[in-house]
Amino acid sequence: MKRKNVLMLVFMLSVFCGILMVTKPVEAKSVSKVSKVITLTQKKKEVTHNLSINRKENVIATIKFLKVKGKIPKKENELYFGYYTFVDGKGSFFSPWTEPEELKKSSFKKGKTLKSNDYIYGTSEVTWTIPRGIKKLKVKVTYSTKSGKAGIISVK
């Protein structure tokens, strides 16, 4: 008889806890900065990050080249790095016209850091692809809010 009562009590507690878990709202903690290290190779040519950003915040990207093998061909005229799609359209974080620092063939050097002047917000997708001529590229990508306040909900 005792065993039956104990099992019934355990069952009732688990049902009660389950109801509490369902009714309690879960809130995601937002942050002001998220860093990811990605490696691009000839086999793994692209990495995509899906970002969820507070609508009131603007997010920029900073990249630091950790490892670079290969060189951009001399005849490469259109050099872009970090394509994005967000609520208002498409673009590239780093391109030949990027300010304050233009993306050049010489930008792909170990230790070099580039900070975007362009920004995204809302639900966004950023795709990093390996440029032509580069065999292996290891990059630290840091997404941060322009204001410095918490506003990045998730990066997947």
Side-chain angles (χ1 to χ4, degrees), residues 89-116:
K90 299 177 180 182
S92 179
F93 278 125
F94 305 99
S95 59
W97 59 83
T98 304
E99 292 293 336
E101 187 172 339
E102 296 178 354
L103 182 67
K104 302 173 186 171
K105 295 171 191 163
S106 61
S107 298
F108 292 86
K109 301 263 187 229
K110 182 180 176 179
K112 184 94 171 173
T113 300
L114 300 174
K115 185 175 182 178
S116 73

Side-chain angles (χ1 to χ4, degrees), residues 29-64:
K29 181 180 178 187
S30 59
V31 294
S32 64
K33 188 185 286 188
V34 175
S35 293
K36 300 272 186 183
V37 175
I38 59 172
T39 302
L40 301 169
T41 63
Q42 291 300 313
K43 290 183 181 179
K44 186 179 180 182
K45 293 184 183 236
E46 70 178 35
V47 172
T48 300
H49 293 144
N50 293 306
L51 286 81
S52 179
I53 305 163
N54 183 329
R55 186 75 170 150
K56 296 177 184 176
E57 290 295 332
N58 297 324
V59 171
I60 59 174
T62 304
I63 57 171
K64 181 173 183 178

